Amino acid sequence: MRVLKVGKGGAVPCQAGAARILDNCRFCVHSVRFCEGGRWVTSPARAYCMLKRATDGVRLERVSAVECDDGGGEGFRSITTVIS
C-alpha cells in the first residue's frame, strides 16, 4: 500500500511523478481510502466492490492523503472500466 500525500492544488503523485487530482482518485480502482480530517474513509470507488461496499461520500477539500494499492505502477484506471 502506498500513501499519497495531497500536495499543492489538491493533487497526489500518481505514477512516475505524474500528478493526479483527487477527483481522479475518487474514481480510480486503486484508491482504497482517503484521509479526511484525520480519519480514514473508504474510497467511493469501492462502492462497486462486493467485499467493501463503501457508502459514505468523501469531502475532497478535507483530504490530506490517499491510500493506493497500485503496486505495479499502472497509474490511474477508472472504475468505469470495471463496472461497464
Side-chain angles (χ1 to χ4, degrees):
M1 246 3 122
R2 298 185 308 153
V3 175
L4 310 175
K5 299 289 183 185
V6 176
K8 293 180 182 176
V12 295
C14 184
Q15 77 184 99
R20 285 281 186 176
I21 60 172
L22 287 176
D23 208 36
N24 287 154
C25 293
R26 182 171 50 172
F27 296 108
C28 180
V29 298
H30 297 297
S31 66
V32 177
R33 299 185 303 169
F34 289 80
C35 186
E36 179 187 312
R39 70 180 184 95
W40 286 98
V41 179
T42 302
S43 171
R46 301 289 165 133
Y48 299 101
C49 174
M50 296 305 290
L51 296 175
K52 302 295 181 192
R53 287 290 185 176
T55 57
D56 294 333
V58 174
R59 293 183 296 185
L60 297 179
E61 69 278 0
R62 296 192 55 182
V63 171
S64 61
V66 178
E67 189 176 56
C68 175
D69 68 3
D70 180 15
E74 176 183 28
F76 173 75
R77 182 167 42 117
S78 176
I79 190 67
T80 60
T81 62
V82 175
I83 62 172
S84 59

